[in-house]
Amino acid sequence: MTSTQCAVQSCKISVFNKPPGVTFHPCPTSSEIRNRWLNALKHKCIQLDWSKSRICSKHFETKYFDSSRKLRPNAVPTIFSSNIKQPIHKVFSPKSRIERLLGKKSQTEILQDIQSSMKKLREPSNLDNIINDQVKFRGEVSNEAQLWLIVKKQEHLNKRLQAINLQNMKQIELLQNSVQQYKKRSTDSNSETHKYIVKCLQEKLSTLEEQIEILTAIESR
């Protein structure tokens, strides 16, 4: 193997095609380090000429280089094609696949699927005896019973959200009317008091509209 090419048989790097940052390093002169090189390079090189062979920096771990990228005296080549890390292929989990499939459905289709599934759930027998005051089951129950209770809680929560949403809509309507009334009553368009009142009402209106958007998003889940 010439001094212009890396002595490792599986390595194709030479001084003519080396990537930026790759350096070539001669064999060590210390007999102790040479023995370690021989063990590391066994079956990795066709021939190893201590005076001419060179090993490129691709085969040395970063710990063997100092801050100036100079090879340390105790460096031993340990990285070869068989133990170079291969790229990790992304594996989609079942959850990711479900998310992708649901993303292709419209909101209406998803709601219809949920409603259809809910109709198939049966109310547990002896309901008053198996549910405590914290609306939890007293003992072990079937998965279907647990799912039924979750659905009931969600239905109750949706009703609450709908009521809050309706109240906010009414407040928005009142605020909109108030803004219009203040605008009509004001005789001085440059009045600081008028501007301040209108600004406060508009901020309150904006806050309520944001709350409605959040509640609507939660309700649609």
Side-chain angles (χ1 to χ4, degrees), residues 164-165 168-169 171-172 175 199-215:
I164 295 172
N165 204 356
N168 286 341
M169 292 293 291
Q171 289 187 34
I172 285 177
L175 284 171
K199 180 182 178 182
C200 290
L201 290 172
Q202 288 175 337
E203 288 178 352
K204 179 66 174 177
L205 178 62
S206 177
T207 301
L208 286 171
E209 288 175 341
E210 289 179 359
Q211 290 178 354
I212 287 177
E213 289 182 5
I214 295 172
L215 291 171

Side-chain angles (χ1 to χ4, degrees), residues 174-186 194 198 201:
L174 291 173
L175 284 171
Q176 288 175 336
N177 292 334
S178 298
V179 170
Q180 294 300 323
Q181 290 176 7
Y182 273 110
K183 286 182 178 180
K184 290 179 180 179
R185 291 177 184 175
S186 176
H194 167 70
V198 171
L201 290 172

